[in-house]
Amino acid sequence: MKEQVFVSTVLYAHNNEQEIAQALTELDRTMMTYFQHYEIILVNDFSQDKTLENAHSAIENIYGDTTIINLSRKHGVEHAMMAGLNKSMGDFVFEIESLFIDFNLDMLYNMFKTATGKGFDIVAATSGQAGWKSRIFYRILNKVSYLNLSLSTETARLVTRRALNAMLNLREKVRYRKALYELTGYSKTLINYKPVNRLTGRKVNRENISLAVDALVSFSHFGLRAAHLLTGVFFLFSLFMGGYALYNYFFNQSVVQGWTTLMILISLGFAGLFFIGGIIGEYTSRILIEIQNRPFYSTKSVEMYKEKKPRLELIKEKESASGQ
């Protein structure tokens, strides 16, 4: 018997012309197997290949409600997913950030059963095969964050409507959903699965680096503590150099004035000032973002495709028509 709740699935796509058709059709088949009412929301993040055309072709074979949100420019995963989540209407919402899917889609139903059976508002899935760069980033963020985070690489996530609304109602402009969900305080669990195929790790690009910096600045005191630590180091260094100068003045007057020492002091001092200035600049830019109150995303168009009758009902109608 199918579940009677309404579920939404938000998919992110950017230049996925090879994967989009298979992902949509298999996801539709999975949702139709387990749920009576569902919708699929595809967020097309300004793809420049045939992702949109292939999605249109695939939708002809999809039976559930489908919506395609075409963004007007490249926004990145976090802001693009916000467009889909704001549009979703389900009591439970699945989030899939990559079409390079390395798990059996039936796992989504297991996540749903975990949420409803054990009372979790957030259920995340991971293969535990994150790259070393991701592991280092999460270890640092979990260590320095004041939120007592326990984040890791996640490939799919299920959230209840109340947890999603709580996250959407947060007024922060710097969006990092993993941390924001934990900020809401709703219960979360992580399930592990064995990947059905091995995927290559994500390449480090400007978007990833920017997101990592945003997360560190927004959800930890990493920058301020580093600035304080550096300030202390330079203060001790200055004391040491002052003592060294006094020692030479009183006991080693034959030494030629320490041009090298002076240059080292000046160089390190300016380096520290520039570093502190950079950290202050990061915080200033975050304040500017909050003040500007710009929308998270801009939409070029929204395409909506209503639910088709399930294949079985169509067959029955044809049989009854031929019988007449």
Side-chain angles (χ1 to χ4, degrees):
M1 182 178 177
K2 296 182 180 180
E3 303 290 345
Q4 297 300 309
V5 297
F6 186 82
V7 299
S8 303
T9 303
V10 180
L11 283 171
Y12 173 83
H14 174 70
N15 292 340
N16 291 112
E17 61 179 4
Q18 302 294 331
E19 301 83 17
I20 186 67
Q22 181 180 0
L24 285 174
T25 52
E26 291 186 359
L27 181 61
D28 178 68
R29 188 180 304 120
T30 302
M31 292 292 112
M32 190 165 54
T33 301
Y34 295 110
F35 299 100
Q36 186 69 36
H37 308 288
Y38 65 93
E39 65 174 351
I40 298 173
I41 300 174
L42 174 66
V43 184
N44 176 29
D45 194 10
F46 200 57
S47 295
Q48 298 300 298
D49 58 2
K50 294 182 179 179
T51 298
L52 184 59
E53 290 84 347
N54 293 348
H56 287 155
S57 302
I59 285 175
E60 295 178 0
N61 299 316
I62 288 178
Y63 295 91
D65 284 354
T66 309
T67 301
I68 299 178
I69 300 175
N70 297 303
L71 301 184
S72 59
R73 56 182 171 79
K74 179 77 164 54
H75 286 68
V77 175
E78 289 296 325
H79 287 182
M81 289 296 289
M82 288 296 296
L85 295 174
N86 278 324
K87 189 73 177 175
S88 68
M89 297 185 295
D91 302 311
F92 294 83
V93 181
F94 292 99
E95 301 177 15
I96 301 176
E97 300 177 357
S98 173
L99 295 186
F100 295 99
I101 298 173
D102 67 342
F103 55 86
N104 191 320
L105 287 174
D106 291 332
M107 187 190 70
L108 298 178
Y109 184 63
N110 295 334
M111 296 169 66
F112 173 80
K113 296 300 290 183
T114 302
T116 56
K118 300 182 179 179
F120 290 104
D121 286 283
I122 304 167
V123 180
T126 179
S127 64
Q129 295 187 350
W132 63 271
K133 297 182 286 294
S134 296
R135 290 198 299 271
I136 290 176
F137 165 70
Y138 286 119
R139 184 170 298 177
I140 293 175
L141 181 58
N142 293 335
K143 184 75 174 179
V144 302
S145 174
Y146 50 79
L147 292 178
N148 192 23
L149 298 176
S150 57
L151 304 182
S152 62
T153 300
E154 301 170 0
T155 51
R157 185 183 303 115
L158 171 67
V159 295
T160 60
R161 171 53 56 182
R162 64 176 184 173
L164 177 60
N165 286 343
M167 189 276 290
L168 293 176
N169 289 333
L170 293 174
R171 299 180 62 182
E172 294 192 35
K173 296 298 180 183
V174 178
R175 288 281 165 174
Y176 185 56
R177 285 171 295 121
K178 286 180 188 176
L180 291 178
Y181 278 128
E182 296 221 1
L183 188 61
T184 63
Y186 284 100
S187 57
K188 177 184 177 181
T189 187
L190 186 69
I191 61 176
N192 293 278
Y193 66 89
K194 186 176 181 180
V196 295
N197 50 46
R198 186 174 180 82
L199 302 178
T200 56
R202 288 185 179 180
K203 295 181 179 179
V204 176
N205 52 35
R206 188 173 61 179
E207 179 185 337
N208 296 31
I209 296 173
S210 176
L211 181 62
V213 172
D214 285 345
L216 284 172
V217 171
S218 299
F219 300 102
S220 76
H221 297 308
F222 175 77
L224 288 176
R225 288 180 178 175
H228 293 160
L229 178 63
L230 197 61
T231 301
V233 170
F234 277 105
F235 177 72
L236 294 175
F237 184 75
S238 299
L239 291 179
F240 172 77
M241 292 305 298
Y244 180 72
L246 289 174
Y247 173 81
N248 281 284
Y249 179 79
F250 289 110
F251 304 105
N252 198 14
Q253 297 181 6
S254 61
V255 175
V256 179
Q257 286 73 8
W259 179 86
T260 304
T261 304
L262 182 61
M263 290 304 296
I264 291 174
L265 178 62
I266 292 175
S267 300
L268 292 178
F270 274 104
L273 288 176
F274 284 133
F275 182 74
I276 295 172
I279 294 174
I280 293 174
E282 286 291 334
Y283 280 95
T284 305
S285 67
R286 299 301 180 276
I287 294 172
L288 181 63
I289 291 173
E290 297 293 337
I291 294 175
Q292 287 174 329
N293 197 27
R294 291 176 178 172
F296 295 127
Y297 53 85
S298 55
T299 303
K300 180 180 179 182
S301 63
V302 177
E303 307 171 22
M304 300 184 70
Y305 302 88
K306 287 298 180 184
E307 178 183 11
K308 303 182 184 69
K309 291 183 177 180
R311 186 180 291 115
L312 183 59
E313 293 184 14
L314 292 175
I315 293 174
K316 288 181 178 178
E317 285 188 358
K318 289 180 180 178
E319 289 177 349
S320 61
S322 60
Q324 293 173 355

